[in-house]
Amino acid sequence: MARSVQPVIGIVGGGIRGSMFAAAVRQHPDARLAGICESDDGRRTRLAAELSVDTFADLGSMITSVPELTALVIATPDFAHRDVALLGIEHGLDLMIEKPLATAVDEARAIVAAAEAAGTMIMIGFENRWNPRFSAVRDQLAAAGSPVVNQVINLNDTRFVPTSMLGWAGRSTPGWFLMPHTLDLACWLSGASPTEVYARGRRGYLDARGVQTWDAITASFAMSDGSLLVLNSQWILTESHPSVFDFRYELHTEASSYYFDIADSGVTRYDSTGISRPQFGVVDGPPLTGVPIDMINSFIDRLNGVDLELPDGRHGELITRAIEAVHTSVDQGTPITI
Amino acid sequence: MARSVQPVIGIVGGGIRGSMFAAAVRQHPDARLAGICESDDGRRTRLAAELSVDTFADLGSMITSVPELTALVIATPDFAHRDVALLGIEHGLDLMIEKPLATAVDEARAIVAAAEAAGTMIMIGFENRWNPRFSAVRDQLAAAGSPVVNQVINLNDTRFVPTSMLGWAGRSTPGWFLMPHTLDLACWLSGASPTEVYARGRRGYLDARGVQTWDAITASFAMSDGSLLVLNSQWILTESHPSVFDFRYELHTEASSYYFDIADSGVTRYDSTGISRPQFGVVDGPPLTGVPIDMINSFIDRLNGVDLELPDGRHGELITRAIEAVHTSVDQGTPITI
Amino acid sequence: MARSVQPVIGIVGGGIRGSMFAAAVRQHPDARLAGICESDDGRRTRLAAELSVDTFADLGSMITSVPELTALVIATPDFAHRDVALLGIEHGLDLMIEKPLATAVDEARAIVAAAEAAGTMIMIGFENRWNPRFSAVRDQLAAAGSPVVNQVINLNDTRFVPTSMLGWAGRSTPGWFLMPHTLDLACWLSGASPTEVYARGRRGYLDARGVQTWDAITASFAMSDGSLLVLNSQWILTESHPSVFDFRYELHTEASSYYFDIADSGVTRYDSTGISRPQFGVVDGPPLTGVPIDMINSFIDRLNGVDLELPDGRHGELITRAIEAVHTSVDQGTPITI
Amino acid sequence: MARSVQPVIGIVGGGIRGSMFAAAVRQHPDARLAGICESDDGRRTRLAAELSVDTFADLGSMITSVPELTALVIATPDFAHRDVALLGIEHGLDLMIEKPLATAVDEARAIVAAAEAAGTMIMIGFENRWNPRFSAVRDQLAAAGSPVVNQVINLNDTRFVPTSMLGWAGRSTPGWFLMPHTLDLACWLSGASPTEVYARGRRGYLDARGVQTWDAITASFAMSDGSLLVLNSQWILTESHPSVFDFRYELHTEASSYYFDIADSGVTRYDSTGISRPQFGVVDGPPLTGVPIDMINSFIDRLNGVDLELPDGRHGELITRAIEAVHTSVDQGTPITI
């Protein structure tokens, strides 16, 4: 893929994901890493030292310092995508934005409208599409053409995630943090879209521990093809669970049933601390490999002109609209049209 | 349990379940089997020959022929409980009625009101309560006292059940046939009651095969303790599944999570026909043993004066009301108060 | 099963198993419990108080005190069966002896010879035969008649068993404690007998903790039908395992494969202490039920004249001979003919 | 990895594996594919057409036609490695040879001796080392340093493999075809070597179908660290199994237990044909990815001068010696020193 001008990519947000994306861009032969924007001074200093990467206090500084910048990977917290996205679009940058596109429909719409006006590209980081388990099954489903009957998807985290891993769980919910993944997959595998949702929430455990959010949400979707979709996500599994996440998915067509257990890596370990399931979603290299790395590679391929079907801004907006409807339904107790 | 006068028990309905109940009553040292009522002439003749049991064309004949009759086990199809129940109550008989009590609230109410007026006993055949997996976990939950967060219960059948096993599937649904089991368990394990439901259905596969009913139903319940309950039941799993039913249940409290896989007997077999999981829910003896036999034994113990907590008519009426609300919600597209 | 004279059964050994057997005998309508022999003064006093049962310091006292005694259940440690068995036989008692019959072939032979001379009955407590999983599969195998290819059986315990549960683990081994179960099943399911064994052992962990025995033993058997049998048993699984035992069995014929996971009860629990799998092998009643209770019931049925196929003394002697050969092979490093 | 002179790699053997290796070499930026040697005329013609690759009737022709050839990937049947290996070494070529190095110790020795004399490199295709499940656990074990207690490894194939997939199963065995994988892993994970083996075989099913070989082999190894190793491999699982192979591995140290189920991909499918588990070991791209591709990439990296620990000829010879000892033990009925 020889090109005279490689994409120059900046990372916004220097957390776990941003650091990983930086490493992925840096190791790619057909892209150049511009650096990482990170507003927290301490973390920024550490990143510079540990990754030997250029760092910036904000996106404005990066744009100024690296005028040849062509694209961004936005890995800020869920609720903090809009401003950096709009600033990037204003400067003509193509964007990969972590899911969800935004946590409010008006923000999602603003980003998509700006990108369409500016003619820049948006890709949403629905990384499960790069998991060969899901992509292979999607191919099988498309080839078989049997109508989907129903899908039931449980994606849960242990309480470690909202109480220890994330500093901003109180500004998110299991719905915003987990359901974009599962709703995107449900659409992508079935080819259908959500048309209406009824949802309920349960709270108490996290509230009592100072994280003001739902413990668990369940959402029942009507889909455009008449199939049923149920999403269950909770955030307070005990930490004794074998991995920090629990992801079980079943999809039934008239001709076949698929059951996925994504957290089951095929390796179970018992030791004095309990049970664990080592995860191999990202494997340190060199090179660094895994599902999110493959996603970044597709983003770079697309920037380099390869024709790929990627989750775009419009789809990101749909998912945001649907997840917002989940929360509206929880609050209002009525079904919400999406 | 020496008694001068043993209960004399008649079985109404000579299908798979009725025959099994007859055998269970007959082997019990503290009860006497009056016989089986079965309206189908051919089946009645076979029952008489195979089981060497007295048979009757209808309950009226049995009552006339066996004036010492004291109790009935009603194992007619789901929708055909009312008339036999009312006739039995009229003659002062105690009743064990297969779940659901009825498939319409007004029928359930009529039965319960009649029994209360007559002072007869009603027990509903929610047999899972006799499965030690569930009863042991219920005890653990009661002892721990941690609030329930949510429950997700999948109880499905392969298409064999509505298309081959049952002659009357078109007069029932996956909701009426399967959800009484799971809703009863959800209440019994958690100690909470359903207060509202939102449900959806999918149809097409069974309709196209002449069985006019839903393929799948999903129901989202609000529970009286603020916890969430999701029931999923479908009737069209492929027959290649390892057993005719698929029953997976998860219950999360703030302190613990339980995962049940009831169809997984711990034995998996592969042969030229595929995979199977032999089931040991009922084991031929002598004596005949298993969960439904233990249930009948409890019914007989109660008839003999033992003080037992059993699912009663009021509870059966609640479950019928809730499942009726499931179907109303599917039809109307709105949440229904229970 | 009306009888003018019921069997009168004494229990020898008042540990966990002996106490359970006492309760099982006592609740049986067609047997009478004579009491429990227990040499440890403290335990004997507790048994008398907790079970309201007659207790004796040794078998001689019980024989003297209860002259109408007709049978014994011997539940002393593995290595302490001979003397009580011989004394019981001398007094014409029928015996149920916990597996293994003895931990030395000459002891097993002495017991069997004495019983044959005296015309008394011996049954060995290979309780897995009463597990419907195994008995149902045995029936299927017998009906199918396909040659057995191989069996691989892993039966392990966590280190809790040799270091905390048993006071006498240093006088036993994983071979003597666990393999009689699995070897008996392998013979019973396949209909074949072991003809030769080669075995290896590993030690170090338990030795270092003052329990002088093998950590793990593996044994490779030639079977009389040309099939292969591998038994693996170890005693030092970490205590974080979901249950105190781990029992996985696979049996392959030319026509089918069976996989058993006996420790998987279908219920998995996570809480702050880790993962657990509640076990339902014995369920407190009343009545007390479960696999070992069914075994005792068969013993009583046989004492009452029912014609049952039970594991007899000759078979117990074979198993002891084979397990002794396992240990000889470990010591000598050569295959041993059985 | 800029190099003036790239390795030029020829593939010997145009079966499933050889074709895959050809594609892997061709897509690599730092290697050049010389072509494929395939003696079967029809297959050779197809390969040329389908892969657009240069083909040769034998290695001699390739060496003559491509004088710049620097390395070979040898993917001929198990028993047909020696002649091509020796010819390649004679011409100074570096070799990657599929496991096992040879199916006779003298052949393995001849290859290793020739390579050492010629100063050429040999890598053996023990591809499981590139499976992150195994490499990650190996790292964990090395870090923990707890003594290994025992390993039990079952690697089986359905009867499809010897009766349909391989044309030469009658010249191999489950021991030669499957155990090199598992023995290599057992050594690599534990850091120990086999010192002695006792093995047994069962035959009858395949013999009766014209494939003259063992149905099943079990091998018990003593390891250099005092741990136990049991390998079970059979070739006649029913084709109803969820994938063509069945690979379950357990490894116990004094501190931890690992259980691998390699055939369980986390996706289970039921359809009208039965159960299946889609496999993702190799995923079609572009680029082609997966465990064997990563292995080839390491071979190319090594050819390009990267310092990597790879399974070498001496290790390949050890594995061949041990597997030969397995077969000798089966034949002689005695333990064999390795």
Side-chain angles (χ1 to χ4, degrees), chain D residues 145-178:
Chain D
S146 178
V148 174
V149 175
N150 63 332
Q151 302 181 75
V152 180
I153 319 182
N154 301 297
L155 177 57
N156 303 316
D157 281 336
T158 69
R159 49 194 64 172
F160 170 78
V161 170
T163 62
S164 301
M165 189 181 98
L166 297 178
W168 42 273
R171 300 184 62 184
S172 185
T173 70
W176 282 114
F177 194 71
L178 296 170

Short mmCIF file of all heavy atoms in Angstrom, two decimals, chain D residues 145-178:
data_model
loop_
_atom_site.label_atom_id
_atom_site.label_comp_id
_atom_site.label_asym_id
_atom_site.label_seq_id
_atom_site.Cartn_x
_atom_site.Cartn_y
_atom_site.Cartn_z
N GLY D 145 6.64 -20.26 38.91
CA GLY D 145 7.69 -21.17 39.36
C GLY D 145 7.22 -22.30 40.26
O GLY D 145 8.04 -22.92 40.94
N SER D 146 5.93 -22.58 40.28
CA SER D 146 5.45 -23.68 41.13
C SER D 146 5.67 -25.01 40.41
O SER D 146 5.44 -25.13 39.21
CB SER D 146 3.95 -23.47 41.40
OG SER D 146 3.44 -24.53 42.17
N PRO D 147 6.08 -26.05 41.16
CA PRO D 147 6.36 -27.33 40.50
C PRO D 147 5.12 -27.90 39.82
O PRO D 147 4.02 -27.84 40.36
CB PRO D 147 6.79 -28.24 41.66
CG PRO D 147 7.20 -27.33 42.75
CD PRO D 147 6.39 -26.07 42.59
N VAL D 148 5.32 -28.47 38.65
CA VAL D 148 4.24 -29.14 37.94
C VAL D 148 3.96 -30.48 38.62
O VAL D 148 4.89 -31.22 38.97
CB VAL D 148 4.61 -29.35 36.46
CG1 VAL D 148 3.55 -30.20 35.75
CG2 VAL D 148 4.76 -28.00 35.77
N VAL D 149 2.69 -30.79 38.81
CA VAL D 149 2.29 -32.07 39.41
C VAL D 149 1.97 -33.08 38.31
O VAL D 149 2.56 -34.14 38.24
CB VAL D 149 1.07 -31.87 40.33
CG1 VAL D 149 0.56 -33.21 40.85
CG2 VAL D 149 1.44 -30.93 41.48
N ASN D 150 1.04 -32.72 37.45
CA ASN D 150 0.70 -33.64 36.36
C ASN D 150 0.02 -32.90 35.22
O ASN D 150 -0.50 -31.79 35.40
CB ASN D 150 -0.18 -34.80 36.86
CG ASN D 150 -1.51 -34.35 37.40
OD1 ASN D 150 -1.64 -33.21 37.89
ND2 ASN D 150 -2.51 -35.20 37.31
N GLN D 151 0.03 -33.52 34.08
CA GLN D 151 -0.65 -33.03 32.90
C GLN D 151 -1.43 -34.19 32.27
O GLN D 151 -0.92 -35.30 32.19
CB GLN D 151 0.34 -32.48 31.85
CG GLN D 151 1.24 -31.36 32.37
CD GLN D 151 2.20 -30.83 31.28
OE1 GLN D 151 1.79 -30.12 30.38
NE2 GLN D 151 3.46 -31.22 31.37
N VAL D 152 -2.64 -33.89 31.85
CA VAL D 152 -3.45 -34.88 31.12
C VAL D 152 -3.94 -34.19 29.86
O VAL D 152 -4.59 -33.15 29.93
CB VAL D 152 -4.67 -35.35 31.95
CG1 VAL D 152 -5.48 -36.38 31.17
CG2 VAL D 152 -4.24 -35.92 33.30
N ILE D 153 -3.60 -34.75 28.71
CA ILE D 153 -3.92 -34.09 27.44
C ILE D 153 -4.64 -35.06 26.52
O ILE D 153 -4.11 -36.12 26.20
CB ILE D 153 -2.66 -33.56 26.75
CG1 ILE D 153 -1.68 -32.93 27.75
CG2 ILE D 153 -3.04 -32.57 25.66
CD1 ILE D 153 -0.42 -32.35 27.13
N ASN D 154 -5.84 -34.67 26.12
CA ASN D 154 -6.61 -35.45 25.16
C ASN D 154 -6.66 -34.68 23.85
O ASN D 154 -7.17 -33.56 23.82
CB ASN D 154 -8.05 -35.64 25.67
CG ASN D 154 -8.10 -36.33 27.01
OD1 ASN D 154 -7.69 -37.47 27.14
ND2 ASN D 154 -8.58 -35.62 28.03
N LEU D 155 -6.12 -35.27 22.81
CA LEU D 155 -6.25 -34.67 21.48
C LEU D 155 -6.74 -35.77 20.55
O LEU D 155 -6.02 -36.73 20.26
CB LEU D 155 -4.90 -34.11 20.99
CG LEU D 155 -4.92 -33.53 19.57
CD1 LEU D 155 -5.94 -32.43 19.40
CD2 LEU D 155 -3.53 -33.03 19.19
N ASN D 156 -7.98 -35.62 20.13
CA ASN D 156 -8.63 -36.64 19.31
C ASN D 156 -9.13 -36.04 18.01
O ASN D 156 -9.33 -34.83 17.92
CB ASN D 156 -9.85 -37.21 20.07
CG ASN D 156 -9.47 -37.78 21.43
OD1 ASN D 156 -8.48 -38.48 21.55
ND2 ASN D 156 -10.25 -37.45 22.46
N ASP D 157 -9.34 -36.88 17.03
CA ASP D 157 -9.98 -36.46 15.79
C ASP D 157 -11.23 -37.31 15.56
O ASP D 157 -11.31 -38.45 16.04
CB ASP D 157 -9.05 -36.67 14.59
CG ASP D 157 -7.99 -35.59 14.45
OD1 ASP D 157 -8.21 -34.47 14.95
OD2 ASP D 157 -6.95 -35.87 13.84
N THR D 158 -12.14 -36.77 14.81
CA THR D 158 -13.24 -37.63 14.35
C THR D 158 -12.71 -38.58 13.28
O THR D 158 -11.66 -38.36 12.68
CB THR D 158 -14.41 -36.81 13.78
OG1 THR D 158 -14.01 -36.23 12.55
CG2 THR D 158 -14.88 -35.74 14.75
N ARG D 159 -13.47 -39.62 13.04
CA ARG D 159 -13.08 -40.63 12.04
C ARG D 159 -12.96 -40.05 10.64
O ARG D 159 -12.37 -40.67 9.76
CB ARG D 159 -14.10 -41.77 12.06
CG ARG D 159 -15.53 -41.33 12.00
CD ARG D 159 -16.51 -42.44 12.38
NE ARG D 159 -16.36 -42.87 13.76
CZ ARG D 159 -17.19 -43.70 14.40
NH1 ARG D 159 -18.24 -44.20 13.75
NH2 ARG D 159 -16.98 -44.06 15.64
N PHE D 160 -13.48 -38.85 10.44
CA PHE D 160 -13.33 -38.18 9.15
C PHE D 160 -11.85 -38.05 8.78
O PHE D 160 -11.48 -38.21 7.61
CB PHE D 160 -13.98 -36.79 9.22
CG PHE D 160 -13.68 -35.91 8.06
CD1 PHE D 160 -14.35 -36.07 6.85
CD2 PHE D 160 -12.70 -34.91 8.14
CE1 PHE D 160 -14.06 -35.25 5.76
CE2 PHE D 160 -12.41 -34.10 7.06
CZ PHE D 160 -13.09 -34.27 5.86
N VAL D 161 -11.02 -37.76 9.75
CA VAL D 161 -9.60 -37.50 9.45
C VAL D 161 -8.91 -38.74 8.88
O VAL D 161 -8.35 -38.68 7.77
CB VAL D 161 -8.87 -36.94 10.69
CG1 VAL D 161 -7.35 -36.90 10.47
CG2 VAL D 161 -9.38 -35.54 11.01
N PRO D 162 -8.95 -39.89 9.57
CA PRO D 162 -8.24 -41.02 8.97
C PRO D 162 -8.96 -41.66 7.78
O PRO D 162 -8.31 -42.29 6.95
CB PRO D 162 -8.11 -42.02 10.14
CG PRO D 162 -9.23 -41.68 11.04
CD PRO D 162 -9.42 -40.19 10.93
N THR D 163 -10.28 -41.52 7.72
CA THR D 163 -10.98 -42.24 6.65
C THR D 163 -11.25 -41.37 5.42
O THR D 163 -11.44 -41.90 4.33
CB THR D 163 -12.32 -42.82 7.14
OG1 THR D 163 -13.18 -41.75 7.54
CG2 THR D 163 -12.12 -43.77 8.32
N SER D 164 -11.28 -40.06 5.58
CA SER D 164 -11.62 -39.21 4.43
C SER D 164 -10.58 -38.13 4.15
O SER D 164 -10.25 -37.87 3.00
CB SER D 164 -12.98 -38.51 4.66
OG SER D 164 -14.01 -39.45 4.84
N MET D 165 -10.09 -37.50 5.19
CA MET D 165 -9.23 -36.34 4.95
C MET D 165 -7.84 -36.74 4.51
O MET D 165 -7.29 -36.17 3.57
CB MET D 165 -9.15 -35.49 6.23
CG MET D 165 -8.46 -34.15 6.03
SD MET D 165 -8.36 -33.16 7.58
CE MET D 165 -6.68 -33.54 8.13
N LEU D 166 -7.27 -37.72 5.21
CA LEU D 166 -5.90 -38.13 4.90
C LEU D 166 -5.93 -39.33 3.95
O LEU D 166 -6.66 -40.29 4.18
CB LEU D 166 -5.17 -38.55 6.17
CG LEU D 166 -4.96 -37.50 7.25
CD1 LEU D 166 -4.26 -38.14 8.46
CD2 LEU D 166 -4.13 -36.34 6.73
N GLY D 167 -5.10 -39.31 2.94
CA GLY D 167 -4.98 -40.47 2.08
C GLY D 167 -3.99 -41.49 2.62
O GLY D 167 -3.91 -42.62 2.14
N TRP D 168 -3.28 -41.13 3.64
CA TRP D 168 -2.16 -41.95 4.10
C TRP D 168 -2.26 -42.30 5.58
O TRP D 168 -1.24 -42.59 6.23
CB TRP D 168 -0.83 -41.22 3.83
CG TRP D 168 -0.87 -39.74 4.15
CD1 TRP D 168 -1.26 -38.74 3.31
CD2 TRP D 168 -0.52 -39.11 5.39
NE1 TRP D 168 -1.18 -37.52 3.94
CE2 TRP D 168 -0.72 -37.72 5.21
CE3 TRP D 168 -0.06 -39.57 6.62
CZ2 TRP D 168 -0.47 -36.79 6.23
CZ3 TRP D 168 0.19 -38.64 7.63
CH2 TRP D 168 -0.03 -37.27 7.43
N ALA D 169 -3.49 -42.33 6.11
CA ALA D 169 -3.65 -42.62 7.54
C ALA D 169 -3.13 -44.01 7.88
O ALA D 169 -2.61 -44.24 8.98
CB ALA D 169 -5.12 -42.48 7.95
N GLY D 170 -3.25 -44.94 6.95
CA GLY D 170 -2.78 -46.30 7.21
C GLY D 170 -1.27 -46.37 7.37
O GLY D 170 -0.73 -47.35 7.89
N ARG D 171 -0.57 -45.31 6.97
CA ARG D 171 0.88 -45.27 7.18
C ARG D 171 1.23 -44.41 8.39
O ARG D 171 2.39 -44.13 8.64
CB ARG D 171 1.58 -44.74 5.93
CG ARG D 171 1.31 -45.62 4.71
CD ARG D 171 2.07 -45.16 3.49
NE ARG D 171 3.52 -45.23 3.69
CZ ARG D 171 4.41 -44.80 2.79
NH1 ARG D 171 3.99 -44.30 1.64
NH2 ARG D 171 5.70 -44.87 3.05
N SER D 172 0.22 -43.94 9.10
CA SER D 172 0.46 -43.16 10.31
C SER D 172 -0.35 -43.78 11.45
O SER D 172 -0.84 -44.91 11.32
CB SER D 172 0.06 -41.70 10.07
OG SER D 172 0.38 -40.89 11.19
N THR D 173 -0.45 -43.08 12.54
CA THR D 173 -1.22 -43.54 13.69
C THR D 173 -1.72 -42.30 14.43
O THR D 173 -1.22 -41.19 14.19
CB THR D 173 -0.35 -44.33 14.71
OG1 THR D 173 0.55 -43.40 15.36
CG2 THR D 173 0.45 -45.44 14.04
N PRO D 174 -2.69 -42.46 15.35
CA PRO D 174 -3.04 -41.31 16.19
C PRO D 174 -1.84 -40.82 16.99
O PRO D 174 -1.75 -39.65 17.35
CB PRO D 174 -4.13 -41.87 17.13
CG PRO D 174 -4.60 -43.13 16.52
CD PRO D 174 -3.50 -43.66 15.66
N GLY D 175 -0.90 -41.74 17.26
CA GLY D 175 0.31 -41.35 17.96
C GLY D 175 1.19 -40.42 17.13
O GLY D 175 1.60 -39.35 17.59
N TRP D 176 1.46 -40.81 15.90
CA TRP D 176 2.32 -39.97 15.06
C TRP D 176 1.63 -38.71 14.62
O TRP D 176 2.25 -37.66 14.48
CB TRP D 176 2.81 -40.77 13.84
CG TRP D 176 3.92 -41.70 14.16
CD1 TRP D 176 3.90 -43.07 14.12
CD2 TRP D 176 5.24 -41.34 14.60
NE1 TRP D 176 5.11 -43.58 14.51
CE2 TRP D 176 5.96 -42.54 14.81
CE3 TRP D 176 5.89 -40.13 14.85
CZ2 TRP D 176 7.28 -42.56 15.25
CZ3 TRP D 176 7.20 -40.14 15.29
CH2 TRP D 176 7.89 -41.35 15.49
N PHE D 177 0.33 -38.77 14.41
CA PHE D 177 -0.37 -37.61 13.85
C PHE D 177 -0.72 -36.59 14.92
O PHE D 177 -0.68 -35.39 14.67
CB PHE D 177 -1.64 -38.08 13.13
CG PHE D 177 -2.23 -37.03 12.24
CD1 PHE D 177 -1.59 -36.65 11.06
CD2 PHE D 177 -3.42 -36.39 12.56
CE1 PHE D 177 -2.13 -35.67 10.23
CE2 PHE D 177 -3.97 -35.41 11.75
CZ PHE D 177 -3.32 -35.06 10.58
N LEU D 178 -1.05 -37.03 16.10
CA LEU D 178 -1.58 -36.11 17.11
C LEU D 178 -0.62 -35.87 18.28
O LEU D 178 -0.53 -34.75 18.80
CB LEU D 178 -2.92 -36.64 17.64
CG LEU D 178 -4.04 -36.71 16.59
CD1 LEU D 178 -5.25 -37.47 17.11
CD2 LEU D 178 -4.44 -35.30 16.16
#
